[in-house]
Amino acid sequence: DAGVIQSPRHEVTEMGQEVTLRCKPISGHNSLFWYRQTMMRGLELLIYFNNNVPIDDSGMPEDRFSAKMPNASFSTLKIQPSEPRDSAVYFCASSSYGYTFGSGTRLTVV
Amino acid sequence: AQSVTQLGSHVSVSEGALVLLRCNYSSSVPPYLFWYVQYPNQGLQLLLKYTTGATLVKGINGFEAEFKKSETSFHLTKPSAHMSDAAEYFCAVSDRRSGAGSYQLTFGKGTKLSVIP
């Protein structure tokens, strides 16, 4: 089992550009979560899916953020347009009975 | 609504000394409780969890935590710190009644543990 796979590991982009983060959950896990981690705010839940359906997106900061899960093995988190305050580490986690986190994507918006 | 408070954003202990990381929670229903560890540039790894049953829970790497309902606490301990324990530790709580067949975790702000040789 390769665990939860996130790509890219690091992303540096210019303000205003579109950024897409990707996540492949563990096969058989029916829930997927996107978290953002910053020094100031800690770990924040952005959105979670159950059986590919978005259940709670109340943590998505604004309309610039969107997430999709077209099938059970893939999810994306998109930021358009990106801003410097979006710089953070973004984690994906999948869950069956317990959570498994990916290694994260470190996003820097300059 | 549920919340988690971790007392002390940074704790330093000497190698071989007791490790005590504090976690208090609030939840309107009996919670599930978790401790995760995060090493630099890595994701979070589960150390241990409490769901039901015995209130003293043993996890990996010699860590354990005790659920104390009367104190709404779930403090993490390890009798003897090792250099490899230096990491950031997160306490998390789940409202076990979260629907849709899954549950959300609410995390504390984390406690960074330093181990002094």
Side-chain angles (χ1 to χ4, degrees):
Chain A
D1 184 356
V4 175
I5 300 172
Q6 291 187 246
S7 63
R9 287 296 309 272
H10 302 274
E11 176 81 29
V12 181
T13 191
E14 292 185 347
M15 182 174 63
Q17 296 297 306
E18 177 180 296
V19 175
T20 300
L21 312 181
R22 297 173 175 79
C23 176
K24 177 177 168 54
I26 291 175
S27 177
H29 282 192
N30 60 353
S31 297
L32 183 140
F33 304 79
W34 281 101
Y35 284 87
R36 178 171 67 176
Q37 185 179 36
T38 61
M39 290 288 291
M40 291 297 293
R41 302 171 71 93
L43 272 163
E44 302 171 278
L45 176 65
L46 300 178
I47 185 171
Y48 87 93
F49 297 83
N50 197 55
N51 294 323
N52 311 339
V53 176
I55 301 300
D56 184 355
D57 66 353
S58 59
M60 296 286 262
E62 45 197 276
D63 292 345
R64 297 184 297 107
F65 286 69
S66 62
K68 294 182 180 179
M69 192 165 186
N71 56 61
S73 59
F74 184 64
S75 177
T76 59
L77 177 68
K78 186 178 291 186
I79 308 173
Q80 167 63 21
S82 58
E83 297 182 2
R85 60 192 168 124
D86 301 330
S87 297
V89 181
Y90 291 81
F91 288 102
C92 173
S94 70
S95 172
S96 174
Y97 180 65
Y99 276 48
T100 301
F101 281 80
S103 297
T105 295
R106 182 175 296 275
L107 174 65
T108 303
V109 183
V110 298
Chain B
Q2 53 200 15
S3 65
V4 178
T5 302
Q6 291 184 239
L7 292 177
S9 59
H10 198 164
V11 170
S12 292
V13 300
S14 297
E15 191 173 16
L18 171 72
V19 176
L20 171 61
L21 305 182
R22 299 179 186 274
C23 173
N24 288 88
Y25 69 90
S26 67
S27 176
S28 58
V29 298
Y32 289 160
L33 294 160
F34 305 79
W35 275 100
Y36 284 83
V37 61
Q38 184 180 30
Y39 298 102
N41 300 314
Q42 293 188 26
L44 279 71
Q45 302 172 34
L46 181 66
L47 268 181
L48 49 80
K49 64 185 176 188
Y50 168 79
T51 54
T52 58
T55 56
L56 182 62
V57 181
K58 295 187 186 298
I60 62 173
N61 300 339
F63 285 93
E64 62 183 36
E66 186 171 11
F67 169 54
K68 292 188 176 180
K69 184 178 178 181
S70 61
E71 298 177 8
T72 61
S73 68
F74 192 57
H75 302 330
L76 181 71
T77 60
K78 181 174 180 177
S80 176
H82 191 272
M83 295 298 293
S84 61
D85 295 327
E88 190 157 17
Y89 292 80
F90 292 89
C91 182
V93 62
S94 168
D95 174 354
R96 62 179 63 184
R97 294 193 309 178
S98 293
S102 183
Y103 57 89
Q104 300 180 51
L105 288 180
T106 299
F107 286 89
K109 290 283 173 74
T111 298
K112 190 164 289 188
L113 176 67
S114 298
V115 181
I116 304 165

